[in-house]
Amino acid sequence: SVELRNYEAAGEEFQSWLLTAKDKLSTVNNTSGSKDELDSRLTKIRELQSSLDYGQGRLRLTSELVDRVLPNTNPIGCQTLQREQEDFKREYDLLKVAITDAKTALETTLSDWLSYERSHDQLSQWLKETEMRAKADSDLKSDLPEKKAQLEKFRMLGNDIMQHTAQMNALHDKAGELGQEYVEKDMENLMERFNQLRTDTEQMTLNLQDQVAEHEKYKESYRQSMDWVLAKRQQIQQIGDSSGS
């Protein structure tokens, strides 16, 4: 009948759309790759999600057409058509869920990328500024107050570095999770600079501690020597006064 041919044509059209949509989904349902690749896949996923309305329209048409066919179909044929219609609906629902899941996975991964880039930029800027601070304060001072002030600066610098250690380690872990070689190489370079800064700062702090201690020891020795000289002068003066009297 004309109704049956119309139904079969609508069913073929729906199945063709469904197969094409599944094929497109299989090519973009992947969260690995660069940020640009993920952006491109997400755009295609959104286009695919938009096409669900078309697929739903094709599905609704088959449902309307099968209702016209069933009254003129024998029981076995009715069961076959009803089962086919149920399969169409189930396949459509499964595809809709799969597209939503793929879109969510890509959006989550892209969010991880944005979070990584934001943290990377902040820590890179902090590292650059801290390296400059360490270099600016690296010239050794001559007098004790300046040495003590310099030591305090490097202690504060060391504390700042220690407070950023957890952030650097977390960023390193994020870089590994993104699974991109160029990201991991860049992160390794950042970690090397961070570790070198920490080592240099620790060494400078130890050196300054030694210098301050040595300077204080020298000042104490000098004070004791001057006290001794002063005491001797007083003794000599007292002897001279005794002799004169």
Side-chain angles (χ1 to χ4, degrees), residues 7-218:
Y7 168 76
E8 289 174 343
E12 287 177 2
E13 187 176 353
F14 171 76
Q15 287 178 300
S16 175
W17 169 83
L18 185 69
L19 183 61
T20 300
K22 284 183 176 180
D23 286 342
K24 287 181 179 178
L25 178 60
S26 68
T27 64
V28 295
N29 192 11
N30 184 353
T31 57
S32 64
S34 68
K35 183 171 172 256
D36 288 343
E37 289 171 331
L38 294 174
D39 272 324
S40 175
R41 287 182 205 143
L42 184 58
T43 298
K44 292 175 182 177
I45 282 279
R46 285 171 175 158
E47 292 171 355
L48 195 54
Q49 194 171 43
S50 297
S51 77
L52 285 170
D53 288 341
Y54 174 83
Q56 189 175 45
R58 298 302 90 193
L59 178 62
R60 189 183 301 113
L61 179 61
T62 62
S63 179
E64 293 171 356
L65 290 173
V66 80
D67 287 342
R68 299 176 191 173
V69 174
L70 289 177
N72 302 314
T73 307
N74 61 51
I76 295 177
C78 285
Q79 289 180 358
T80 301
L81 290 173
Q82 288 170 339
R83 193 181 309 115
E84 184 176 61
Q85 192 63 30
E86 289 171 359
D87 288 344
F88 285 170
K89 186 177 185 310
R90 183 174 62 255
E91 287 294 322
Y92 174 84
D93 289 343
L94 288 172
L95 175 65
K96 186 176 181 179
V97 170
I99 289 174
T100 300
D101 289 346
K103 179 172 175 281
T104 300
L106 281 169
E107 287 174 338
T108 300
T109 306
L110 275 168
S111 177
D112 291 340
W113 265 99
L114 292 174
S115 174
Y116 170 80
E117 289 179 340
R118 186 164 51 249
S119 297
H120 182 278
D121 289 346
Q122 290 173 352
L123 284 172
S124 293
Q125 183 63 28
W126 168 83
L127 182 59
K128 180 180 178 181
E129 291 173 356
T130 308
E131 287 171 334
M132 292 173 65
R133 282 169 56 199
K135 185 176 181 181
D137 289 330
S138 62
D139 292 338
L140 297 179
K141 310 303 179 185
S142 56
D143 66 350
L144 185 57
E146 287 183 329
K147 287 180 180 178
K148 285 184 175 180
Q150 188 179 25
L151 174 58
E152 185 58 28
K153 283 184 180 179
F154 271 89
R155 281 176 174 162
M156 292 174 64
L157 197 64
N159 289 335
D160 191 22
I161 292 169
M162 289 302 296
Q163 289 171 3
H164 281 80
T165 300
Q167 295 176 48
M168 289 294 295
N169 289 336
L171 187 66
H172 185 271
D173 292 342
K174 279 185 181 180
E177 290 168 4
L178 293 175
Q180 293 297 296
E181 186 176 351
Y182 76 93
V183 173
E184 293 178 11
K185 284 184 177 179
D186 179 67
M187 189 64 230
E188 289 302 326
N189 176 261
L190 201 67
M191 284 298 293
E192 284 177 10
R193 286 172 56 198
F194 176 79
N195 290 331
Q196 187 63 53
L197 175 64
R198 180 169 55 188
T199 299
D200 291 347
T201 301
E202 289 173 353
Q203 188 60 53
M204 189 68 174
T205 301
L206 291 174
N207 289 344
L208 287 169
Q209 287 176 175
D210 290 342
Q211 286 194 35
V212 168
E214 285 295 322
H215 202 134
E216 288 178 334
K217 183 179 177 182
Y218 166 77

